[in-house]
Amino acid sequence: MHQQNRHPRESPLAIADGPRYIPTMRGFFLILMALAMAALLLSLLAGVFLMARGGEANTRRSNQLMRLRVALQGLAIALFILVLITQAS
């Protein structure tokens, strides 16, 4: 099998002109990261609003919003790492 001249850091899956899918994936991950961050902000604001209202019924809902916020933070961090990986390529 003929080996093409590639940059040492270039993926073996890359074609001779360079990987064309990287800019598309970078944009996709940036959009997903922005959406995750917006959802994170909304859940944070909803939690602050419920905490300000007070009441026994809001305690359970506040805990659910906190779990949602933690999950969204993890998603945003994972997407941020994916953006960094695609930037390095």
Side-chain angles (χ1 to χ4, degrees):
M1 189 166 200
H2 178 65
Q3 183 73 10
Q4 295 177 353
N5 292 334
R6 285 193 295 256
H7 188 273
R9 290 186 56 191
E10 189 175 348
S11 168
L13 299 176
I15 57 175
D17 295 338
R20 294 184 184 147
Y21 59 89
I22 293 294
T24 304
M25 292 302 291
R26 185 180 309 137
F28 179 69
F29 290 140
L30 280 172
I31 291 171
L32 283 179
M33 187 175 69
L35 290 173
M37 291 171 70
L40 173 63
L41 181 64
L42 287 175
S43 71
L44 179 64
L45 292 175
V48 168
F49 179 72
L50 278 176
M51 188 171 48
R53 277 185 31 190
E56 186 64 33
N58 290 334
T59 303
R60 192 175 125 251
R61 183 77 173 144
S62 180
N63 285 336
Q64 289 174 341
L65 283 172
M66 188 182 302
R67 280 188 236 121
L68 176 65
R69 182 181 55 83
V70 169
L72 288 171
Q73 281 176 331
L75 177 65
I77 290 170
L79 289 170
F80 181 73
I81 291 170
L82 286 172
V83 168
L84 288 179
I85 289 170
T86 57
Q87 289 283 21
S89 298

